[in-house]
Amino acid sequence: MTTTAPGRFGVYGGRYVPETLMANLIALEAAFEDARRDAAFLAEFQSTLAHFVGRPTPLYHAQRLSQVYGGQVYLKREDLTHTGAHKINNAVGQALLAKRLGKRRIVAETGAGQHGVATAAACARLGLECIVYMGALDCERQRPNVERMRLLGATVKPCDAGSRNLKVAINEAIRDWIANPDSTHYLIGSVVGPHPYPLMVREFQRVIGDEARAQFTRVAPRPDAVIACVGGGSNAMGIFAGFVDDPQVELFGVEAGGDGATTAATLNTGRPGVLHGALSYLLQDAEGQVLNTHSVAAGLDYPGVGPEHSFFKDTGRARYETVSDTEALAAFKETCALEGIIPAIESSHAVAFARRLLANRPGLRVIVNLSGRGDKDLPGLLAKGLV
Amino acid sequence: MQSNPITAAFDRARAARRRALVPFLMSGYPTREGFRAALAEAATLADVIEVGVPFSDPLADGPVIQAAAAQALKQATTLAQTLEDIAAYRLEPQASARGQAPEPTATPSLTLRAQDGFTPPVVLMLSINQVLAGGAQNFAQRLKAAQVAGAIVPDLPHEEAGSLNAEFAAHGLALLNMLAPTTSPERTRAIAQSARGFLYLISSAGVTGTRDTFPSETLAYIKRAKELSGAPVCVGFGISKPEHVRQLADADGFIVGSAIIKAQSEGRNIADVLQPLRQAL
């Protein structure tokens, strides 16, 4: 595998947290290593994925997009999972693990709200208390998800500090965990954070890639390329995990290019640093202060990125490209009009890159991870007159 | 390697039969001039001074210190500016307090500080990302040049501290270890035994900020740390009142942060907070 030292992907990753959290991280690592080898735990996880999440999700041949883009486009339909995004795979996995650890209280952060909704649903099902931190800006632009979390019994705590987005939500979730280390599990929603989170979240998300790889064999032995959007990078790492050992499959991560002036393109414009417990590429100034980001997609609006993506960038195993707000919105509309699918604005970044790739290299067979559905985006996008 | 000034400061307090006082100040807060004045004022009552270099995303800090960091960053406070201010203070604390250069001909009046001419050593508190920004070696060189005695890096646990520790050792600086009540017995042993300068005990779970009382386990935790530690043991996180100092009497020293920042934010003198604590030591 790609872990080069315990808790590291090349030089990236590690565990840079206040001492109060170290015992929890060590216990979590042990519990995860134990659980992933426990047939009963795996059976419960698989059963939950089948009957609660609704897996496997289809690998859908998008014929009209294929025709317009000039290749063969296959969409991995994570938007069809329960709660509408890939986030649920990891949420149910970690919630089962939290229960195994004897935790009664879950804290989570959310950007677009999909991880918050998934965590609220997983907690409701297991009878766990759920607190979700969400940037005040994201509460405004993802209103439907705030209401869904409340209906599912979660307490949503808006975070008004600084950038009012995903970064401050993670800050507050970590501070809550520091204050409640015994009772609480921090159910992080991406392949970011201190070890074991990047590894654990990848393993809970690899079902996307494992399914897609098996499903694609009906078409051909392997696709030419796999494309996924990257904020923290969990949907990308989930689908990449199925193909990383197939050297003939090109892997593309798509970052948010924002409005051009301000972006969230961490791997394209950042340099290595530590945020939220891991060494990885980071958008920062010369003093090491973390920079503000901008993206039309709340779920990509993050100055950090999962450490394994940094490793893939340096080794060249994956390439990381950027797509602007405008390109993503165009792809959003095309997917609606040509395929009858409303994609999340985050996932629309991946679709937009597929268009660019096929324009340059026509005829490729590509899998795009359609990581979530776009219902959550409609009020915000309509209010701004963007769709 | 010369003996670390932090050790000397604790020896001096012990000789006077009292525990040590370690006030925390935020560089650039409430303003650069305000910070320089606070440094000189704190020097009259402190044994060691902890200076925070503001960071955009401080995970271990509560609302009071977060707000101070945000305000200091708005005024573009940097590590370089912090080190300049500390170097000026090391030369002549009262002159820097008045915003003047020291007069070379005048004998410095040290009566405000201490009869013995003692100037409290300074340790920095900052995030590992601020250290990595310019590299560990460069960081150690700059601290040494500014006569800073060491640093506290709260998001750099023992297991990750190897290379910074080596740089610090090579420059005669102390990287201060931290313990938490949640730290396992094995890790407590390793962290306490390798402590340099002083061992920083996080009083109880939670971020920095005022606590009313401390759980009864805190006393046993301090005792255990003292038995194992190769350095004096100081308690921080939530210390604000003389009652706290009396309750946690076994510690060798006390770190006071949020209570000072709060006083500054209300325009009060920081001696209002430090004087009663000093008397309880």
Side-chain angles (χ1 to χ4, degrees), chain A residues 130-203:
Chain A
C130 179
I131 290 98
V132 180
Y133 290 91
M134 185 169 187
L137 171 67
D138 295 340
C139 289
E140 288 159 24
R141 58 184 173 174
Q142 308 278 289
R143 194 81 222 159
N145 275 342
V146 175
E147 300 307 335
R148 291 166 80 200
M149 283 184 265
R150 289 197 176 121
L151 273 172
L152 293 167
T155 304
V156 180
K157 297 204 171 178
C159 310
D160 227 346
S163 50
R164 301 166 76 237
N165 60 7
L166 180 57
K167 182 188 79 165
V168 297
I170 297 181
N171 288 347
E172 287 306 320
I174 292 175
R175 287 174 191 138
D176 183 313
W177 201 26
I178 292 172
N180 303 286
D182 295 333
S183 66
T184 299
H185 172 68
Y186 176 25
L187 206 160
I188 204 164
S190 193
V191 287
V192 300
H195 180 62
Y197 283 106
L199 171 73
M200 180 173 72
V201 176
R202 179 194 77 198
E203 289 302 303

Side-chain angles (χ1 to χ4, degrees), chain B:
Chain B
M1 197 170 94
Q2 73 241 48
S3 100
N4 191 287
I6 301 170
T7 312
F10 276 85
D11 288 346
R12 177 176 168 275
R14 195 175 299 116
R17 296 187 168 184
R18 58 175 180 79
R19 272 80 50 80
L21 186 58
V22 184
F24 169 88
L25 301 171
M26 179 63 77
S27 174
Y29 182 82
T31 58
R32 182 175 189 177
E33 285 314 305
F35 165 67
R36 289 162 66 113
L39 256 186
E41 191 183 353
T44 64
L45 294 161
D47 295 289
V48 175
I49 299 176
E50 180 186 347
V51 171
V53 188
F55 181 52
S56 53
D57 297 86
L59 295 183
D61 280 318
V64 172
I65 294 180
Q66 281 176 49
Q71 185 174 330
L73 283 176
K74 256 184 207 152
Q75 301 171 73
T77 304
T78 60
L79 175 62
Q81 173 189 309
T82 305
L83 294 175
E84 254 174 55
D85 290 349
I86 292 168
Y89 147 83
R90 296 290 307 173
L91 285 172
E92 220 306 35
Q94 290 144 70
S96 76
R98 291 192 305 267
Q100 298 166 359
E103 292 164 36
T105 51
T107 310
S109 154
L110 300 176
T111 50
L112 259 179
R113 280 183 283 166
Q115 299 296 337
D116 58 1
F118 171 77
T119 303
V122 173
V123 295
L124 292 187
M125 193 284 292
L126 75 179
S127 166
I128 182 61
N129 199 49
Q130 294 165 285
V131 176
L132 297 177
Q137 188 185 25
N138 173 263
F139 180 70
Q141 286 165 351
R142 291 169 77 187
L143 261 57
K144 183 81 187 157
Q147 294 190 53
V148 171
I152 298 162
V153 188
D155 56 354
L156 187 71
H158 190 60
E159 288 80 353
E160 307 282 9
S163 57
L164 187 58
N165 246 324
E167 281 303 338
F168 268 38
H171 290 83
L173 300 166
L175 182 61
L176 275 57
N177 290 358
M178 295 181 96
L179 268 189
T182 51
T183 308
S184 70
E186 305 80 54
R187 293 186 68 254
T188 296
R189 187 172 298 275
I191 292 167
Q193 286 177 348
S194 63
R196 261 156 285 193
F198 65 81
L199 178 62
Y200 192 132
L201 262 64
I202 298 166
S203 66
S204 47
V207 293
T208 57
T210 314
R211 288 148 171 80
D212 279 342
T213 55
F214 294 93
S216 53
E217 309 92 84
T218 313
L219 288 175
Y221 159 59
I222 294 171
K223 266 205 182 95
R224 203 169 62 242
K226 277 192 68 163
E227 282 165 18
L228 294 168
S229 179
V233 168
C234 288
V235 184
F237 282 48
I239 305 290
S240 63
K241 301 186 277 205
E243 295 94 282
H244 296 152
V245 170
R246 285 191 282 268
Q247 191 199 343
L248 307 176
D250 279 345
D252 299 309
F254 297 89
I255 304 147
V256 189
S258 296
I260 292 176
I261 304 288
K262 195 160 174 289
Q264 288 177 295
S265 75
E266 291 163 356
R268 285 188 287 132
N269 207 311
I270 63 174
D272 288 358
V273 176
L274 292 179
Q275 196 72 57
L277 285 167
R278 172 82 187 224
Q279 276 159 9
L281 294 170

Side-chain angles (χ1 to χ4, degrees), chain A residues 63 71 76 129 141 155 158 161 173 198 213 223 244 251 253 264 281 347:
Chain A
Q63 296 189 36
K76 181 58 176 162
E129 185 187 353
R141 58 184 173 174
T155 304
R213 186 172 188 270
V244 71
L251 306 177
Y281 277 79
S347 323

Side-chain angles (χ1 to χ4, degrees), chain A residues 287-312:
Chain A
E287 289 279 311
Q289 307 293 348
V290 181
L291 295 173
N292 284 332
T293 51
H294 164 77
S295 168
V296 68
L300 305 182
D301 198 355
Y302 182 60
V305 68
E308 195 168 10
H309 285 296
S310 294
F311 178 64
F312 282 0

